[in-house]
Amino acid sequence: MNTLAITPQAIGMTEGQQDGLQALIGGLLQANKTVNLTAIRDAGQAWEKHILDSLAPLCVEGLIPKGASCIDIGTGAGFPGLPLALMRPDTKWVLLDSTKKKLAFAQSAADMLGLAGVEVCHGRAEELGRTARREGFTLACARAVARLDILAEYVLPLVAVGGRALFYKGPEAEAELEEAAHAIAKLGGKPGRVVALRLPSGDERRLIVVEKARKTPAQYPRREAVLRAQPIG
Ligand code: SAH
């Protein structure tokens, strides 16, 4: 498999964008002194693990289509959604999380960076998937939220037919994708594909890309307790 290097050059980062992203890291590490937002304390590590990692999709031309209406599911303090929104002002973002504490940082960072296209939303993905926002996004992404068989049921109901889901994973992505293949098909997704990437430190990353082919059947997403206890198998 061809492995792409995740670098500022590959991402196409301008100096101005780099300054904004550095400010985001500065704000994160500052806020982290009083609220637990990340285990990372070092600015260099945060740059790699939170910024470059978040921006991995931009190493692949067209993966985030121009003008896309996007949702970051389980965004926490705003990752990957905030860096992507900063790099791509043509796109709109909903940053969704069920934990309010971390979202407060995402909101203040979006304000500080002047990201007009960002909306911070408190709630659960499987509940949002049963509102008017069902199938309302052309792109959905999720990093470090759940295993793919469960995560697919949170994410795919929110993606419009013809849209795309991006799952941030590690080197075990192929196995996870195999395990979740049936769930993805049932939820209306095409068979997923894996993009291999590598951070400057050498850490391996994978993006699982799933295109939405058909509407998600009305019975999905199920309630949290049910979908966790009985993943679609
Ligand atoms: N994506 C961020 C945070 C990962 S931690 C990052 O990579 O840094 C996982 C986050 O997912 C937590 O903040 C948790 O509150 C949120 N989460 C888990 N299940 C969720 C659900 N069903 N709906 C919304 N948020 C969820």
Side-chain angles (χ1 to χ4, degrees):
M1 200 188 301
N2 180 27
T3 303
L4 304 170
I6 311 175
T7 61
Q9 294 72 30
I11 291 161
M13 199 183 285
T14 66
E15 260 181 50
Q17 287 167 331
Q18 187 154 344
D19 290 347
L21 293 163
Q22 294 282 6
L24 174 59
I25 287 302
L28 178 73
L29 295 182
Q30 183 62 35
N32 204 39
K33 291 179 181 165
T34 47
V35 192
N36 187 19
L37 299 172
T38 171
I40 294 172
R41 300 279 180 274
D42 170 76
Q45 272 214 29
W47 175 257
E48 169 153 330
K49 299 272 166 15
H50 288 314
I51 302 296
L52 293 184
D53 188 50
S54 290
L55 297 176
L58 301 185
C59 297
V60 182
E61 182 79 36
L63 203 52
I64 301 186
K66 208 166 170 38
S69 173
C70 312
I71 182 164
D72 179 13
I73 291 165
T75 190
F79 298 92
L82 283 175
L84 288 170
L86 188 147
M87 285 298 300
R88 289 289 303 275
D90 58 297
T91 55
K92 290 202 329 189
W93 285 85
V94 169
L95 307 184
L96 176 76
D97 205 284
S98 53
T99 305
K100 234 180 185 162
K101 185 185 76 168
K102 294 191 198 169
L103 279 181
F105 173 77
Q107 182 68 68
S108 70
D111 293 344
M112 185 250 304
L113 297 166
L115 302 176
V118 168
E119 174 193 345
V120 170
C121 178
H122 178 227
R124 296 201 60 89
E126 68 280 13
E127 289 170 9
L128 199 69
R130 295 201 158 274
T131 68
R133 295 192 110 153
R134 181 185 180 90
E135 300 190 323
F137 299 90
T138 46
L139 188 110
C141 61
R143 183 180 88 152
V145 177
R147 283 195 66 83
L148 189 59
D149 53 351
I150 291 168
L151 188 57
E153 192 168 343
Y154 292 149
V155 172
L156 287 177
L158 288 161
V159 179
V161 172
R164 174 179 292 153
L166 301 179
F167 303 99
Y168 287 67
K169 293 288 178 183
E172 305 303 317
E174 294 277 3
E176 252 188 86
L177 180 56
E178 204 170 302
E179 185 187 64
H182 185 62
I184 289 170
K186 268 202 160 168
L187 292 160
K190 290 187 195 171
R193 64 190 170 94
V194 176
V195 180
L197 305 111
R198 187 177 294 128
L199 285 165
S201 64
D203 281 9
E204 295 281 337
R205 292 290 186 266
R206 301 288 182 269
L207 285 173
I208 298 178
V209 183
V210 174
E211 315 285 343
K212 182 97 176 250
R214 298 173 309 280
K215 285 198 162 210
T216 298
Q219 74 259 40
Y220 305 117
R222 297 164 298 164
R223 283 184 301 112
E224 161 79 1
V226 180
L227 74 80
R228 279 201 169 269
Q230 301 158 25
I232 305 169

